[in-house]
Amino acid sequence: MTHLGCSLLSCGVVDDRHFEMEDYQGAIARWCPGCGDHSILTAMQRLLEEEQLKPEQTVFVSGIGCSSRFPHYMKTYGFHGLHGRAIPAATGIKLERPDLDVFVTMGDGDCCSIGAGHWIHAIRYNVDMVVLLLDNNMYGLTKGQTSPTTPATFPSNTQPYGSYLEALNPLTATLGVTNASFVAQTAEWIPAHLFETLKAAYHHKGFAFVRILQRCPVYTEKIYEDAVRQPDAIEMLIHDDGIHIPDLDEIYKNQIIHDPGNLDEARRLAEPFDRFRLGIFYRNEKRPRYEDLRRLPVRTAEEKVELLNQEFDRYAV
Ligand code: SF4
């Protein structure tokens, strides 16, 4: 860690720390070789370095699954919780400590199945946090069961003759919830796009939902294989208010200009299509945030203890 820029800490001491990538690197990642989670981890550590986020002011929250090991690999605060319950834990952290930067990492089983109730209501609450859905279309940690986003007919250990149902679409589901404020999709094998999407999500004030198409070479290698090898399988949503990386123009020639302020068009573009669409589908910072609406009175620590004691007294026998 070098010491360059400076800011004033609450205790009056000048904070001149400058953070390098290694300052955010926690334990050695134990994901399988070739797992897309590795590149997401790198992109996230790059983001924290670029934004110079203070490790002690940053929290990663996860549930259960391969992607939920994420907090272990960041040298920040972290909470590796229960299956599907990352969002309520993160919401509590953010409401109690609005000064912290809160990130949530979930897999498709974690978010779209057991955690689906929390996901839907958190979109409506629009609490300021970044929520990443690392979507490999399968339960990986528990060894290859069909998840809500497994494509129809794709075989798994639980449905060996192929998934019976059409996959749930996390983009249309999120965009369909009242008060959705940021919805984007990116792919972990396009690092520049992944990074810019994470950056846009971080700068959004509200619930920023990013679905990241993630390769799992163990259980779902075939699903994204064509998209990785053939840029024509991708369609970029570009706009001055969205994401446009000129260096990628030569590779990803399928582009569509989409204003992220247009919700109806975002919903149309999020429908299943014969290419993967990447970019910011929707962004609206005017959506109300729960933390601004609840208007809790500001109380001192002594007042909180007094209120707590009064509450206990109600049950005295
Ligand atoms: Fe990644 Fe799949 Fe291995 Fe899990 S099982 S660590 S998702 S490659």
Side-chain angles (χ1 to χ4, degrees):
M1 187 190 306
T2 53
H3 293 255
L4 290 172
C6 63
S7 60
L8 201 60
L9 296 173
S10 57
C11 59
V13 174
V14 172
D15 184 1
D16 66 346
R17 293 175 295 169
H18 180 88
F19 301 104
E20 308 286 355
M21 278 278 280
E22 59 260 33
D23 295 316
Y24 301 108
Q25 291 167 347
I28 304 282
R30 290 169 53 197
W31 292 307
C32 306
C35 176
D37 289 353
H38 291 286
S39 71
I40 300 168
L41 180 68
T42 302
M44 183 55 79
Q45 289 165 345
R46 269 190 64 209
L47 176 73
L48 267 60
E49 184 200 20
E50 181 167 306
E51 300 293 337
Q52 284 295 292
L53 300 193
K54 294 183 171 66
E56 74 277 11
Q57 291 284 115
T58 308
V59 189
F60 281 81
V61 185
S62 66
I64 295 294
C66 294
S67 58
S68 289
R69 296 197 55 78
F70 214 95
H72 297 273
Y73 307 145
M74 299 295 301
K75 207 188 283 179
T76 62
Y77 279 104
F79 185 81
H80 186 178
L82 300 175
H83 201 198
R85 313 302 173 205
I87 287 179
T91 302
I93 292 167
K94 187 66 185 180
L95 292 182
E96 189 57 28
R97 289 290 306 274
D99 56 312
L100 302 183
D101 287 309
V102 178
F103 297 83
V104 175
T105 56
M106 297 183 291
D108 37 297
D110 201 34
C111 172
C112 305
S113 185
I114 192 168
H118 298 303
W119 166 42
I120 297 302
H121 288 285
I123 297 162
R124 189 168 70 92
Y125 276 54
N126 194 30
V127 171
D128 186 18
M129 63 178 76
V130 175
V131 176
L132 306 180
L133 166 57
L134 281 58
D135 195 352
N136 64 350
N137 308 110
M138 186 71 64
Y139 287 87
L141 187 75
T142 45
K143 309 291 176 246
Q145 296 93 358
T146 297
S147 90
T149 63
T150 306
T153 75
F154 192 88
S156 72
N157 286 336
T158 46
Q159 296 182 359
Y161 301 110
S163 176
Y164 308 131
L165 300 171
E166 290 294 332
L168 181 147
N169 182 336
L171 298 177
T172 51
T174 305
L175 287 163
V177 177
T178 307
N179 214 31
S181 73
F182 184 102
V183 181
Q185 178 159 272
T186 184
E188 48 77 11
W189 62 88
I190 311 175
H193 195 272
L194 171 64
F195 180 78
E196 290 302 322
T197 308
L198 295 182
K199 189 170 166 181
Y202 170 68
H203 285 284
H204 177 72
K205 292 284 170 246
F207 188 91
F209 179 81
V210 181
R211 181 194 191 199
I212 305 176
L213 308 180
Q214 180 234 316
R215 287 169 295 175
C216 170
V218 176
Y219 295 112
T220 54
E221 188 180 14
K222 299 275 178 225
I223 290 180
Y224 297 129
E225 201 174 37
D226 287 350
V228 173
R229 293 173 194 277
Q230 298 171 18
D232 277 357
I234 301 282
E235 184 167 272
M236 294 290 186
L237 307 185
I238 61 170
H239 194 269
D240 288 346
D241 291 333
I243 293 170
H244 182 205
I245 304 164
D247 286 351
L248 296 181
D249 287 352
E250 274 302 300
I251 304 168
Y252 298 100
K253 294 196 165 73
N254 295 319
Q255 300 185 339
I256 180 166
I257 296 171
H258 167 59
D259 177 357
N262 187 336
L263 180 58
D264 289 339
E265 187 65 0
R267 286 173 172 156
R268 189 187 72 74
L269 291 170
E271 289 293 339
F273 182 57
D274 56 5
R275 297 188 192 109
F276 291 104
R277 287 183 167 135
L278 307 183
I280 300 179
F281 285 74
Y282 185 61
R283 171 163 53 194
N284 183 352
E285 293 219 336
K286 295 197 174 116
R287 295 286 200 197
R289 294 186 295 270
Y290 184 75
E291 57 267 50
D292 299 330
L293 295 174
R294 63 179 187 153
R295 299 186 193 94
L296 283 184
V298 179
R299 293 196 171 97
T300 65
E302 291 74 22
E303 287 171 334
K304 287 179 184 170
V305 171
E306 175 59 26
L307 282 170
L308 203 54
N309 282 330
Q310 286 176 18
E311 199 62 21
F312 288 149
D313 288 344
R314 279 162 32 115
Y315 300 99
V317 288

